Amino acid sequence: MVKNWLQTFKQGLRRTRQGFSERLWSLLRAHGVIDEELFEELEGLLLQADVGIRTTTELLESLRERAKRERIESPARLTPLLQEELLDRLRADSPGYDAFVTLMVGVNGVGKTTTIAKLAHRYLGAGDKVLLAAADTFRAAAVEQLSVWADRLGVDLVHHQEGADPSAVVYDAIQAARARGANRVIVDTAGRLHTKANLMEELKKIKRVIERQVSDEACEVLLVVDATTGQNAVQQARIFHEAVGVTGIVLTKLDSTARGGVIIAIASEVGVPVRYVGLGEGLEDLAPFDPELFVRALFEGQGA
Amino acid sequence: MFENLSNRLQEAFARLRGKGRLREADIDAALKEVRMALLEADVNFKVAKSFVASVRERALGQEVLKSLTPAQQVIKIVNEELTRLMGEEAVGISFSPSPPTVILLVGLQGSGKTTTAGKLAKLLREEGRSPVLVAADVYRPAAVDQLRRVGDLAGVPVLTAAELGVKADPVRIARAGIEAAKRSGRDLVIIDSAGRLHIDDSMMDELRRMKAETSPHEVLLVVDAMTGQEAVNIAKTFDQRLGVSGVILTKLDGDARGGAALSVRAVTEKPIKFVGVGEKLGDLQPFHPSRMSSRILGMGDVLTLIERAERSIDQKKAQELRERLRSDQFTLEDFVDQLRQIRKMGPLEELLSMIPGTAKLKKVGALQVDERELVKIEAIINSMTREERVNPAIIDGSRRKRIARGSGTRVQDVNRVLKQFQQTRKLMKQLSGVERQLTKGNLRFPFLQ
């Protein structure tokens, strides 16, 4: 089991690795000495991985300084430093959540519904009793999409009509879970742009309804972010976090892209840890995020 | 739309203002800021580099215009380069001389194809075409239902595998859909394909077969405006493997930096044809590079504003209003009517962003618009009797209380609306004076001299 998802993790990261570390190594090999030109190319590499100009500048600043202080001359020896710097930013002491209610939020089209199915599958595998709440009452056919998944997974679904009040759905779902002895409620919400104030208010209301029902530790709020998203993801994380207190990020579609660097920016600029990564289209392809493993996988298979 | 980029660029230029002569160092400092702004907006790393290089070259190479200050000159160059980057001319759908015209929508999962299909169908239906939507996404659960729902809202028929009597195979559905459209005399077929990764060989193959079998006149790639550096790869790969004729950029209504827009065009040389700017079906607009560029640079987009007004404002009503203004009969009923017409033009915030200079006001918080405020105003006016609307002078304390109760607001709100009305009335009177002068041709705007 453990070995399995490790495998998935590595395989899913194949693209990221190809895009990043192979180019990093060829870049380091091409340079005999550490100079400004090398840093400039490093900058380009990080930027292209969607790390973003702010975090990139900061990363390179500390790299530059450490290289100087530790009198490092060979470019190859920059790699462990870079690994450390990345890990520093990604590592977060996030409390382990044993959530009764998991609220899934995010902008449109990031893969919330699919992620919910994968998460439900994980919970089921651990022997949990899962209930899904269809609180996306806005998008055409969203309830149908979730109910297809509920059928496939064989879990209960609580839903109202299209256009109903999502908070009411959530309330009913929690009641139903208690009545039926389910220990996991996963709430699907409508995708919303973080700039739409009224939709964010709606989300706050949902959160309040949950807070009245369950304790803080029993409620997890996961922000789903598409790995192909650029710097806008930082803004998304910031605003969703302000609104409903995001406890973790799920980075989806990481298998599709040579990027995903934006999680470094999110972690260092917003301070919300990554909880899961989506690495494929199968139900199994949701892996818990392990920063050490991530960074190691990123640099793996290369030697000086 | 593009707000962040816009703000950053304006900051960069602010530092150039007030300088009589620009030294190379000044330009370099400004361009460093420009580069940062572009990168923060997710403009492709290489595109940003070459953009800055060409602006620099032109700014240093003497393109001296006497009428402009050095700062204005740099802005002018950036504006021109931005426009060039986004593709100069607006490019619409190219329709087939022998209908039906077939449009194939392709893209990654979650980029917004299905919603865009509905929006495009509605837009083109309103332009006098008779479209059908074909549901060729057989993979995503409930994708067909979603398209059917969207089609209903757009008033456009949706053809599915079940209705066409074919197997749930995208290629067959597409082919049968076109046949059915021909039989029923439809002149436009929009095919909604399943979302797929550009690196998924078998799925890309399926699209190639679909294209070969349906020979679409347009293959439009739907791209999420929030996409990062990968946008360029996505567009390049789709174009190489499939051949696309244009791009539709979605979700531009957020604070998406939109850098993808700038890059995709630059790298693939395929035009951006439409942009999606909201969740409602009417929220799809043709893309105008030069207008977009001036909006990015905070120079407003008056052309679009005028077009929008022409489309949504009832000419006859406007004429009537003018008459009433002249005879000083502007009432609260006209006031609420005006509000409704303005709201029909689109979200207030967007309208404001088209007016030159407002971007800066917004940043300092002087321009916070709350759409709900308008709803409140309407409710208050609706709670008045007809007599009160025609002659607001009779609204005394007890009437105010009643109106507040009726509209679910407070007396202070009612007071405020009445005051706003008085101000508007005064303003309208002045404006109609201006208009009279304008028609006589003796008015000169100070900023146009």
Side-chain angles (χ1 to χ4, degrees), chain B residues 5-143:
Chain B
L5 177 57
S6 174
N7 288 341
R8 289 295 309 264
L9 287 178
Q10 286 176 52
E11 271 167 37
F13 297 135
R15 275 176 229 168
L16 290 182
R17 283 213 182 97
K19 298 209 176 187
R21 255 189 70 221
L22 293 185
R23 285 166 305 144
E24 198 169 333
D26 295 328
I27 290 172
D28 279 342
L31 285 180
K32 202 177 156 205
E33 294 290 314
V34 169
R35 177 175 173 268
M36 283 276 277
L38 293 174
L39 287 172
E40 269 186 10
D42 286 321
V43 171
N44 179 266
F45 166 68
K46 286 176 191 151
V47 173
K49 202 168 168 179
S50 69
F51 180 87
V52 168
S54 59
V55 172
R56 184 172 193 276
E57 195 182 316
R58 285 186 56 190
L60 289 175
Q62 300 307 312
E63 275 190 38
V64 186
L65 289 168
K66 282 210 181 100
S67 53
L68 298 176
T69 67
Q72 282 171 330
Q73 257 182 68
V74 174
I75 296 174
K76 178 172 171 286
I77 294 170
V78 171
N79 186 20
E80 282 165 10
E81 289 291 317
L82 268 179
T83 308
R84 201 168 61 97
L85 201 61
M86 292 189 287
E88 313 266 0
E89 298 286 315
V91 187
I93 296 285
S94 60
F95 292 98
S96 160
S98 55
T101 301
V102 178
I103 300 175
L104 177 60
L105 295 181
V106 301
L108 255 54
Q109 287 98 334
S111 55
K113 280 177 300 306
T114 306
T115 310
T116 302
K119 287 179 177 175
L120 191 59
K122 182 177 172 358
L123 187 79
L124 296 175
R125 191 179 68 103
E126 284 167 356
E127 283 178 11
R129 311 271 162 187
S130 59
V132 285
L133 288 161
V134 177
D137 180 356
V138 298
Y139 304 100
R140 181 163 61 97

Side-chain angles (χ1 to χ4, degrees), chain B residues 164-274:
Chain B
L164 293 164
V166 293
K167 273 203 289 186
D169 166 68
V171 182
R172 285 193 199 188
I173 295 170
R175 214 170 41 198
I178 295 169
E179 285 310 313
K182 270 186 200 156
R183 278 198 304 276
S184 56
R186 295 271 162 177
D187 62 7
L188 181 66
V189 182
I190 300 172
I191 305 172
D192 178 29
S193 71
R196 64 202 72 215
L197 292 175
H198 50 301
I199 49 166
D200 186 331
D201 291 331
S202 67
M203 287 295 277
M204 289 305 281
D205 247 15
E206 179 191 282
L207 269 188
R208 267 223 296 270
R209 273 186 289 131
M210 216 150 128
K211 190 182 177 190
E213 293 265 350
T214 58
S215 5
H217 306 92
E218 291 269 8
V219 179
L220 298 179
L221 176 66
V222 181
V223 181
D224 184 333
M226 292 182 282
T227 314
Q229 299 285 321
E230 182 73 1
V232 162
N233 274 356
I234 294 167
K236 241 193 327 208
T237 316
F238 266 97
D239 192 33
Q240 278 163 3
R241 292 195 159 185
L242 188 68
V244 301
S245 57
V247 174
I248 298 180
L249 205 65
T250 59
K251 306 181 205 172
L252 257 183
D253 48 331
D255 54 357
R257 317 268 172 123
L262 304 171
S263 320
V264 161
R265 169 61 230 250
V267 172
T268 62
E269 309 219 314
K270 292 299 185 315
I272 297 160
K273 298 203 166 181
F274 298 95

Side-chain angles (χ1 to χ4, degrees), chain A residues 39-290:
Chain A
F39 279 115
E40 220 165 88
E41 286 189 41
L42 268 176
E43 183 190 42
L45 191 65
L46 290 166
L47 286 176
Q48 278 177 290
D50 277 330
V51 176
I53 183 74
R54 208 177 298 232
T55 305
T56 297
T57 310
E58 198 194 287
L59 264 171
L60 291 180
E61 221 26 74
S62 32
L63 208 60
R64 223 181 245 125
E65 203 181 291
R66 285 187 62 182
K68 206 164 148 194
R69 203 176 52 224
E70 295 167 31
R71 295 174 199 282
I72 291 168
E73 271 155 27
S74 144
R77 285 192 51 211
L78 283 178
T79 350
L81 291 191
L82 187 57
Q83 284 195 40
E84 266 173 53
E85 292 288 333
L86 288 176
L87 206 53
D88 266 359
R89 282 163 178 77
L90 285 172
R91 220 175 348 217
D93 22 44
S94 61
Y97 276 90
D98 189 28
F100 169 44
V101 180
T102 305
L103 180 64
M104 307 291 277
V105 301
V107 302
N108 319 58
V110 289
K112 272 184 300 301
T113 314
T114 314
T115 304
I116 286 167
K118 290 178 180 174
L119 192 62
H121 179 76
R122 266 190 87 78
Y123 283 153
L124 288 173
D128 292 337
K129 187 162 164 37
V130 181
L131 186 139
L132 303 182
D136 179 355
T137 56
F138 180 78
R139 182 165 63 93
V143 177
E144 279 91 334
Q145 191 182 346
L146 196 64
S147 86
V148 170
W149 281 118
D151 284 347
R152 277 188 209 169
L153 292 160
V155 301
D156 283 356
L157 172 77
V158 170
H159 67 92
H160 289 184
Q161 278 158 336
E162 211 173 293
D165 178 5
S167 312
V169 179
V170 174
Y171 181 86
D172 282 357
I174 295 174
Q175 299 304 318
R178 287 195 170 130
R180 298 174 204 174
N183 63 336
R184 305 279 187 196
V185 179
I186 310 177
V187 181
D188 184 21
T189 61
R192 66 200 71 219
L193 289 172
H194 48 292
T195 50
K196 304 274 155 89
N198 53 339
L199 294 180
M200 294 309 280
E201 284 303 320
E202 181 191 88
L203 207 56
K204 285 187 201 165
K205 185 176 165 196
I206 295 177
K207 178 80 191 301
R208 281 199 298 274
V209 167
I210 298 173
E211 275 167 352
R212 250 176 260 140
Q213 299 284 310
V214 306
S215 67
D216 277 0
E217 311 83 69
C219 174
E220 190 167 18
V221 181
L222 294 179
L223 173 68
V224 185
V225 175
D226 184 329
T228 47
T229 310
Q231 297 315 300
N232 191 246
V234 179
Q235 200 58 13
Q236 286 172 26
R238 192 171 286 140
I239 294 175
F240 272 100
H241 189 49
E242 275 166 22
V244 289
V246 175
T247 59
I249 306 276
V250 182
L251 193 70
T252 59
K253 312 182 197 175
L254 192 56
D255 54 320
S256 71
T257 156
R259 327 282 164 183
V262 74
I263 56 168
I264 297 161
I266 292 178
S268 80
E269 287 177 41
V270 190
V272 176
V274 184
R275 288 270 285 142
Y276 296 100
V277 284
L279 296 163
E281 299 199 36
L283 275 177
E284 315 281 338
D285 300 329
L286 183 75
F289 180 76
D290 179 333

Side-chain angles (χ1 to χ4, degrees), chain B residues 151-406:
Chain B
D152 279 350
L153 287 176
V156 172
V158 177
L159 302 174
T160 66
E163 281 153 18
L164 293 164
V166 293
K167 273 203 289 186
D169 166 68
V171 182
R172 285 193 199 188
I173 295 170
R175 214 170 41 198
I178 295 169
E179 285 310 313
K182 270 186 200 156
R183 278 198 304 276
S184 56
R186 295 271 162 177
D187 62 7
L188 181 66
V189 182
I190 300 172
I191 305 172
D192 178 29
S193 71
R196 64 202 72 215
L197 292 175
H198 50 301
I199 49 166
D200 186 331
D201 291 331
S202 67
M203 287 295 277
M204 289 305 281
D205 247 15
E206 179 191 282
L207 269 188
R208 267 223 296 270
R209 273 186 289 131
M210 216 150 128
K211 190 182 177 190
E213 293 265 350
T214 58
S215 5
H217 306 92
E218 291 269 8
V219 179
L220 298 179
L221 176 66
V222 181
V223 181
D224 184 333
M226 292 182 282
T227 314
Q229 299 285 321
E230 182 73 1
V232 162
N233 274 356
I234 294 167
K236 241 193 327 208
T237 316
F238 266 97
D239 192 33
Q240 278 163 3
R241 292 195 159 185
L242 188 68
V244 301
S245 57
V247 174
I248 298 180
L249 205 65
T250 59
K251 306 181 205 172
L252 257 183
D253 48 331
D255 54 357
R257 317 268 172 123
L262 304 171
S263 320
V264 161
R265 169 61 230 250
V267 172
T268 62
E269 309 219 314
K270 292 299 185 315
I272 297 160
K273 298 203 166 181
F274 298 95
V275 289
V277 292
E279 294 202 58
K280 289 201 211 78
L281 273 188
D283 299 332
L284 187 76
Q285 297 169 0
F287 181 75
H288 295 279
S290 60
R291 298 182 189 180
M292 194 57 80
S293 165
S294 53
R295 231 194 274 188
I296 291 175
L297 293 176
M299 287 146 57
D301 182 2
V302 179
L303 278 178
T304 303
L305 190 63
I306 292 170
E307 269 181 18
R308 199 77 74 77
E310 275 172 354
R311 219 178 331 130
S312 30
I313 286 175
D314 188 331
Q315 288 305 323
K316 219 178 93 205
K317 269 194 186 161
Q319 186 56 40
E320 280 172 18
L321 184 69
R322 219 165 289 152
E323 297 297 321
R324 277 219 282 285
L325 278 174
R326 231 164 250 158
S327 49
D328 206 10
Q329 284 174 338
F330 185 68
T331 68
L332 275 159
E333 274 186 347
D334 301 319
F335 185 63
V336 79
D337 222 50
Q338 284 268 291
L339 283 182
R340 281 189 200 128
Q341 295 224 16
I342 289 172
R343 288 181 69 195
K344 250 171 48 194
M345 284 168 61
L348 263 187
E349 217 162 317
E350 199 200 331
L351 296 181
L352 281 175
S353 73
M354 295 178 193
I355 301 170
T358 48
K360 224 181 276 159
L361 280 176
K362 220 170 137 185
K363 230 181 81 200
V364 296
L367 260 187
Q368 286 292 337
V369 268
D370 190 353
E371 211 81 21
R372 274 172 304 186
E373 200 56 31
L374 295 186
V375 179
K376 226 195 236 171
I377 294 175
E378 219 181 306
I380 289 172
I381 297 179
N382 284 340
S383 298
M384 296 176 185
T385 65
R386 193 170 147 64
E387 206 192 341
E388 283 164 351
R389 276 179 238 154
V390 177
N391 184 13
I394 64 167
I395 303 179
D396 56 15
S398 88
R399 281 177 193 260
R400 276 169 212 233
K401 249 187 237 161
R402 194 206 73 241
I403 293 166
R405 259 202 319 275

